[in-house]
Amino acid sequence: MLRKVIVGLLVSLVFLIGVPLQAAEFPTKEVQVIIPWAPGGATDLIFRALAATTGKYLGKAVVIINRPGAGGAVGYTEGMRAAPDGYTLTSAVTPLTILPHQVTTAFTYKNFDAVINVVSDPSMFLVRSDSQWKTLKEFVDYAKKNPGMITVGNSGAGGGVHLVALAFEKAAGVKFNHIPFSGGGPSVTALLGGHIHAVSVSPPEGIEHVKSGRLKIMALFAEKRFELFPDVPTVREQGINFVMGMWRGLIAPKGTPPDVIKKLHDAFKQGMDDPVFRKNARDMSVNLHYLGPEAFEKLMAHDHEFFGQLVKEIKK
Amino acid sequence: MKRDEIIVGIVIFIFGGITAAVSLRMPIGTFRMPGTGMFPLLLGILLMILSGILVLRLFFQGRQIRVKSEPSGESLGSPVQLILFLGTMVFITLFFNQLGYPLSSFLLMVALLRILGVKRWTLNLPLSFVTAVVSYFVFVQWLQIPLPKGWIGL
Amino acid sequence: MFESLQHLANGFGIAGTIHNLFYCLIGCIVGTLIGVLPGIGPIAGIALLIPATFSLNATSAIIMLAGIYYGAMYGGSTTSILLNVPGETASVITCIDGYQMAQKGRAGPALAIVSIGSFIAGTIGIFGLVFLAPPLAEAALAFGPPEYFSLMVFGFIVLSNVTGKSLIKSLMMAIVGLIIGTIGLDPVTGNERFTFGSISLLSGIEFVAVAIGLFGIGEVLTNVNQPSELLDQGVIMPRLRELYPSLQDLKKSIGAILRGTGLGFGVGLVPGPAPVIATYSSYMIERKISKHPEEFGKGAIEGVAGPESANNSACQSAFIPLFVLGIPFGPVTAIILGALLIHGVNPGPMMIGQHPELFWGVIASMYIGNFILLILNLPLVPLFANILRIPKRILLPLVILFCITGQYTVNNSVFDIWMMLIFGVMGFLMRKWAYEGAPLLLALVLGPKLEVAFRQSLMISHGNFGIFVDRPVSMAFLLATVIFLLLPVFKIIVKSLKKGGT
């Protein structure tokens, strides 16, 4: 008897409280940012720094989650599938517009809403300071004579810096041996240990080691020289017309309410302008480059077309 | 006992076979440039070989020699209890998001305690209730873990 | 040398201020709590508390976060010993003998020896950090893909039969673990493997789900399948004087603790799954050199003391690559690196020079923290040991709730709970037919890294297998593997020669 009463009570309880409560003011819990690469890489470092300062303005902590694998495809697939409530963002980096051309992915940039662009960085090749090649010319000449012999690490097959290296091959008329690692951290470590000849990265990866003199910049694919290393010429100055870089921003799953996006955008913008983040960014020698949601969406659309062309040409 | 062990060996053999077969549908590559399917294919074959050896050894082994590691679990309880126990876990997992954490933990405790023979409701219900409340406060309130809120919205 | 000592003295000055001692204490307490809860590991714990460090200076912040890290390592083995639920990779091995000790009413000594072993390992590890950090960090860089591959092969062959029961069954389980490890996206080409269209499977199967399933849930199900009378019993009651290890226990353990410390410190420098290799190999060594190997798997105290010490010193040496090179080799150190950045410190080759107060202050605080943890944990032993007085019919549902909650918190995913249940049923069946879970878990951790290192090596060498033997470190590991495989053959030859001689 008692049993029946209790079961009845429980059932009615379930139905009574079955009405979902209205959502409180966003954000009511911490916001997660998916990084589709291993910890210690450029994207990871930048967004960890940004997450720290943004937390203050958002009112809730911003938590970084690493979902490495398959040049970013694992993280983007998960980010795309997350609920469009603004609590799960994904870091959008150039490969987002490259991967869909190379492998069959479930996502393109169109599956996301742009939130903010934070950084645009030039790409570069690093070598060890005791490398056998002193100048870019020696490096390229050696590569021409010995096609496929120089090993160049990248942060994942089909990822941004891998494609940069492939595009540079084409521009310089050489052929490298590309070795994929699971992020910029591991590939720089392999270069430090002398297991590969060079590594394709973008700042801040390896910058601390360039500062300390263990690594040096062999090729800088930028419009202009680094503020931090004014002695390092760009490849364009040395006769190879090649400029390429990476942008890094934040995106939310498609269908996130515009007012939530606005709140997120404003908080991250404030986090970007925070003096602590500014100083961190300068120390990492990353190039801050703010874009609002519309402009960032346009940038992604443009690069999606651009890389589509490039991948087609390279695959030929 | 021995016959069951052979059946287990054969099941693992089949698992290895399926692994190898599925791997064959992926690009295998060459030994020098291994593709996606190479590693799992080798693993599947290796598992078939090992389980094959185990089964054959059991088969030819006389009844007098027993395998070094003796299977345990001689005194068995009723399978009904085990199935109910597992079923409760499956049920709660199925509706974990809908029920929400506090209600799931309460219902899970009530059901599992009852299945394991805590028959007195005056003990079962308060115990489950206290457990659910304590774990709610520890995980949701104090550690701020985003556990599902479900219908109750807690 | 002298200079280092002076720096260390300064470090103690910094860490010894009331302010920093307080944050060290907080870190240790939170770490212990987080370690005790399965699922919430040090990673989640540190991530949760980073916002709380915003207002602190960098040194205090890192002192507190480091405290959480090694505090969680102290606490992590508690559920392994009491409930057979490993909360993280490092405490899988502790389940084997720790849980058996608890079943025999010796949970107290098992828990206490973990604290004592960890304290000794931590103390010695800190001296290693102070005097050997820079050269060791350089040594760690010598590990490229080929060396990594050979180390994995060595670890795999030597450690897969870690419990020393049926070799063929251990190997079979290891291969099943490797197969499970291939689920997800191929890390080299990005192709899908065994995902059968499931998005959740793309990122592979969560280690903690397999570990808690095979060990924790499997054990609960085995218990549920027992006759009802057994469920009314708690575990054999510990007597009061048996709550702490006897003199004989300590004598047995001290060698294991020291060997584990050395081993863990060395292995901790290698990138990747250091805690797994360190704990498994410590267990293996203790079982091999023991005068009574038959006790292993039935509650040998060395089987708890060795691996736990190895784990703690591996976690200390993991700070070396972070502080000296600015490269995190594991997820926990990666989060601490993030915390350093937040506080405006750029980890890298120049960090020790630029922020000496931070480096030496944190090192000194680790020493103090280890001491705090020892005093904090020893009195908790009776409390934890008493959990086992709860009758099983009440304890088992609690364990299940504990596992489900812990598993969910790892990725906030119900899919992981399903995985945990599936592996729980598998663990139950494996127990029934005497298949071991430990080799499967080892393979699950090492497998993906083994495959990637193998393929990277061959890409670097243009498909030339010589790369594995041309390089001395890699060669040494392969040679050691071959010697290990041939060892039983040598033993037989020597035996027969002796017989022939007499």
Side-chain angles (χ1 to χ4, degrees):
Chain A
M1 182 57 204
L2 184 65
R3 203 154 135 197
K4 268 187 190 160
V5 170
I6 286 165
V7 170
L9 268 177
L10 271 178
V11 169
S12 51
L13 200 71
V14 166
F15 280 101
L16 270 176
I17 319 173
V19 194
L21 296 174
Q22 271 301 308
E25 188 86 339
F26 180 89
T28 55
K29 58 179 184 186
E30 80 263 25
V31 170
Q32 303 182 328
V33 173
I34 297 177
I35 307 284
W37 288 274
T43 315
D44 183 65
L45 293 178
I46 291 165
F47 285 106
R48 275 186 199 282
L50 181 61
T53 53
T54 304
K56 274 188 282 187
Y57 301 105
L58 195 62
K60 291 280 171 186
V62 179
V63 182
I64 301 291
I65 309 172
N66 298 88
R67 287 277 182 276
V74 174
Y76 284 121
T77 310
E78 197 173 317
M80 178 191 77
R81 298 246 314 172
D85 54 8
Y87 289 109
T88 310
L89 305 179
T90 312
S91 65
V93 186
T94 315
L96 173 65
T97 55
I98 303 173
L99 272 171
H101 303 296
Q102 293 177 318
V103 287
T104 41
T105 53
F107 59 85
T108 69
Y109 78 98
K110 290 172 193 140
N111 295 96
F112 296 93
D113 285 327
V115 177
I116 188 171
N117 188 53
V118 180
V119 166
S120 292
D121 275 318
S123 289
M124 57 190 184
F125 276 14
L126 298 180
V127 295
R128 276 162 66 109
S129 300
D130 57 4
S131 157
Q132 50 181 305
W133 308 291
K134 298 279 165 276
T135 62
L136 179 68
K137 193 174 171 304
E138 283 177 40
F139 184 74
V140 172
D141 285 348
Y142 184 90
K144 271 186 186 148
K145 278 188 208 120
N146 307 282
M149 290 312 287
I150 297 181
T151 46
V152 179
N154 61 57
S155 61
V161 290
H162 181 205
L163 211 78
V164 169
L166 287 172
F168 179 62
E169 267 184 350
K170 211 173 129 254
V174 293
K175 196 102 193 77
F176 299 121
N177 181 9
H178 303 275
I179 315 292
F181 288 84
S182 60
S187 67
V188 171
T189 313
L191 178 67
L192 282 172
H195 307 290
I196 46 178
H197 293 122
V199 65
S200 175
V201 292
S202 77
E205 290 158 359
I207 286 290
E208 284 297 312
H209 299 279
V210 176
K211 277 191 205 160
S212 76
R214 295 190 64 157
L215 301 181
K216 64 177 184 186
I217 301 171
M218 175 51 83
L220 177 63
F221 310 128
E223 304 265 1
K224 54 179 200 289
R225 296 186 181 196
F226 269 129
E227 246 175 74
L228 220 75
F229 311 109
D231 301 337
V232 180
T234 65
V235 295
R236 186 183 264 176
E237 288 175 50
Q238 300 174 71
I240 302 171
N241 190 8
F242 182 71
V243 174
M244 201 177 259
M246 304 270 117
W247 38 261
R248 304 171 207 276
L250 286 170
I251 48 179
K254 193 89 196 164
T256 307
D259 56 317
V260 170
I261 295 226
K262 186 169 181 314
K263 263 190 192 153
L264 286 166
H265 166 269
D266 293 351
F268 278 102
K269 176 81 176 64
Q270 280 172 302
M272 260 180 90
D273 292 337
D274 191 285
V276 177
F277 178 72
R278 294 246 153 206
K279 186 190 169 297
N280 272 328
R282 208 168 41 244
D283 287 345
M284 290 189 272
S285 80
V286 296
N287 184 28
L288 293 184
H289 180 63
Y290 162 78
L291 289 177
E294 294 83 20
F296 186 32
E297 186 95 42
K298 259 189 211 142
L299 174 68
M300 288 196 287
H302 169 269
D303 277 16
H304 187 77
E305 290 303 311
F306 173 78
F307 284 116
Q309 285 295 324
L310 188 75
V311 170
K312 247 185 232 160
E313 278 177 40
I314 288 170
K315 275 195 174 167
K316 257 186 228 161
Chain B
M1 217 57 184
K2 199 183 107 184
R3 204 186 62 196
D4 291 359
E5 277 234 63
I6 291 177
I7 293 171
V8 172
I10 291 172
V11 169
I12 299 178
F13 184 85
I14 294 170
F15 176 71
I18 294 172
T19 307
V22 176
S23 313
L24 277 174
R25 280 195 267 148
M26 305 174 199
I28 301 292
T30 62
F31 260 112
R32 291 188 178 267
M33 278 307 249
T36 306
M38 170 73 81
F39 191 55
L41 174 68
L42 292 178
L43 292 176
I45 294 172
L46 216 58
L47 188 60
M48 286 164 78
I49 294 173
L50 283 174
S51 49
I53 293 173
L54 180 77
V55 169
L56 289 179
R57 228 170 57 178
L58 285 167
F59 195 74
F60 287 111
Q61 221 166 36
R63 215 172 277 166
Q64 67 278 21
I65 312 162
R66 305 203 100 174
V67 190
K68 217 159 100 191
S69 45
E70 187 58 36
S72 60
E74 299 292 335
S75 61
L76 297 178
S78 78
V80 180
Q81 184 168 292
L82 184 67
I83 289 164
L84 280 175
F85 196 89
L86 257 174
T88 308
M89 279 155 62
V90 169
F91 179 84
I92 292 290
T93 314
L94 260 179
F95 296 103
F96 196 64
N97 276 328
Q98 285 78 6
L99 290 171
Y101 181 67
L103 195 56
S104 302
S105 51
F106 176 70
L107 293 179
L108 183 80
M109 286 301 293
V110 171
L112 293 187
L113 285 171
R114 179 66 192 79
I115 290 164
L116 290 189
V118 180
K119 294 206 173 81
R120 270 171 46 216
W121 291 109
T122 44
L123 173 65
N124 183 329
L125 289 177
L127 190 67
S128 303
F129 187 73
V130 169
T131 311
V133 168
V134 167
S135 55
Y136 174 77
F137 272 97
V138 169
F139 290 100
V140 181
Q141 294 294 333
W142 185 60
L143 286 169
Q144 297 271 308
I145 290 160
L147 283 149
K149 296 181 193 306
W151 288 327
I152 329 179
L154 270 174
Chain C
M1 187 89 166
F2 180 70
E3 205 187 349
S4 293
L5 280 177
Q6 206 167 21
H7 281 308
L8 188 63
N10 286 342
F12 271 105
I14 294 161
T17 59
I18 299 290
H19 183 75
N20 284 339
L21 274 180
F22 174 72
Y23 286 110
C24 188
L25 180 67
I26 301 257
C28 290
I29 293 173
V30 173
T32 307
L33 286 173
I34 280 171
V36 171
L37 301 168
I40 314 174
I43 301 171
I46 293 173
L48 279 167
L49 276 161
I50 282 184
T53 68
F54 284 163
S55 57
L56 303 180
N57 68 51
T59 309
S60 308
I62 303 303
I63 283 177
M64 181 165 119
L65 296 180
I68 297 177
Y69 179 28
Y70 50 75
M73 290 296 160
Y74 265 70
S77 44
T78 308
T79 47
S80 299
I81 290 170
L82 296 177
L83 310 172
N84 207 27
V85 176
E88 56 198 334
T89 7
S91 42
V92 166
I93 278 293
T94 310
C95 283
I96 298 173
D97 275 281
Y99 183 66
Q100 287 306 322
M101 281 180 76
Q103 291 301 299
K104 291 185 175 149
R106 289 180 34 84
L111 290 167
I113 206 74
V114 168
S115 290
I116 296 168
S118 297
F119 175 69
I120 296 175
T123 309
I124 297 175
I126 281 153
F127 282 96
L129 253 175
V130 169
F131 297 115
L132 300 173
L136 282 182
E138 292 302 314
L141 281 181
F143 272 76
E147 285 78 16
Y148 212 41
F149 171 76
S150 302
L151 171 71
M152 297 285 158
V153 170
F154 175 74
F156 195 71
I157 300 285
V158 173
L159 302 178
S160 58
N161 194 22
V162 63
T163 50
K165 292 189 183 144
S166 167
L167 175 67
I168 190 160
K169 283 183 171 178
S170 290
L171 283 177
M172 280 162 70
M173 282 304 107
I175 291 180
V176 171
L178 285 174
I179 291 174
I180 294 169
T182 62
I183 294 175
L185 287 177
D186 174 0
V188 178
T189 61
N191 291 329
E192 290 182 24
R193 281 198 294 213
F194 304 117
T195 55
F196 307 105
S198 155
I199 302 287
S200 304
L201 280 175
L202 274 183
S203 45
I205 288 180
E206 177 64 46
F207 174 85
V208 177
V210 184
I212 296 186
L214 285 186
F215 281 83
I217 307 278
E219 177 67 26
V220 170
L221 292 179
T222 308
N223 273 305
V224 170
N225 201 24
Q226 279 170 346
S228 193
E229 314 85 73
L230 288 175
L231 290 172
D232 272 331
Q233 299 168 1
V235 176
I236 305 163
M237 301 290 175
R239 270 165 294 180
L240 194 64
R241 64 182 174 80
E242 284 176 1
L243 274 174
Y244 290 102
S246 64
L247 206 62
Q248 201 201 351
D249 286 336
L250 289 176
K251 262 189 204 156
K252 271 187 183 172
S253 309
I254 187 69
I257 289 173
L258 292 177
R259 280 185 293 272
T261 302
L263 192 71
F265 196 79
V267 177
L269 290 167
V270 179
V276 185
I277 299 189
T279 49
Y280 273 69
S281 34
S282 166
Y283 187 87
M284 184 85 182
I285 289 173
E286 294 314 321
R287 185 170 65 76
K288 285 269 171 189
I289 65 171
S290 170
K291 288 187 192 107
H292 44 86
E294 71 286 349
E295 279 181 25
F296 277 76
K298 291 178 190 135
I301 195 160
E302 300 97 310
V304 177
E308 279 299 321
S309 313
N311 175 28
N312 207 274
S313 72
C315 121
Q316 303 256 332
S317 61
F319 277 93
I320 292 180
L322 176 70
F323 281 154
V324 180
L325 299 171
I327 297 172
F329 279 176
V332 178
T333 41
I335 290 207
I336 293 183
L337 177 131
L340 284 168
L341 279 176
I342 287 161
H343 288 281
V345 177
N346 264 305
M350 298 184 305
M351 194 196 91
I352 300 180
Q354 284 172 347
H355 302 275
E357 78 292 345
L358 186 133
F359 179 77
W360 296 103
V362 170
I363 299 248
S365 87
M366 285 183 180
Y367 186 81
I368 298 173
N370 266 299
F371 194 68
I372 292 179
L373 281 169
L374 186 70
I375 335 182
L376 200 69
N377 275 281
L378 284 182
L380 287 178
V381 165
L383 185 76
F384 281 132
N386 272 323
I387 288 176
L388 294 180
R389 286 175 191 262
I390 302 171
K392 275 189 178 168
R393 50 174 103 246
I394 292 170
L395 186 62
L396 296 181
L398 284 172
V399 174
I400 293 289
L401 177 64
F402 207 46
C403 288
I404 289 184
T405 313
Q407 185 59 60
Y408 183 84
T409 58
V410 177
N411 286 330
N412 297 336
S413 128
V414 175
F415 180 79
D416 282 353
I417 303 182
W418 285 117
M419 283 298 124
M420 181 183 80
L421 293 185
I422 290 171
F423 282 99
V425 174
M426 194 170 142
F428 168 72
L429 295 173
M430 280 164 65
R431 223 158 282 252
K432 207 167 166 186
W433 304 112
Y435 287 87
E436 297 278 333
L440 193 157
L441 289 172
L442 175 80
L444 183 61
V445 174
L446 296 191
K449 301 187 193 280
L450 181 98
E451 187 198 358
V452 170
F454 178 70
R455 287 163 70 174
Q456 281 172 341
S457 305
L458 283 186
M459 285 168 95
I460 289 175
S461 73
H462 305 274
N464 181 0
F465 282 90
I467 191 171
F468 297 115
V469 288
D470 286 346
R471 305 175 46 140
V473 179
S474 166
M475 177 72 191
F477 280 119
L478 289 181
L479 211 63
T481 312
V482 173
I483 291 173
F484 177 82
L485 284 175
L486 292 181
L487 217 55
V489 183
F490 281 129
K491 269 188 192 158
I492 293 167
I493 294 173
V494 169
K495 257 188 199 164
S496 62
L497 279 180
K498 268 187 187 162
K499 264 186 195 163
T502 47

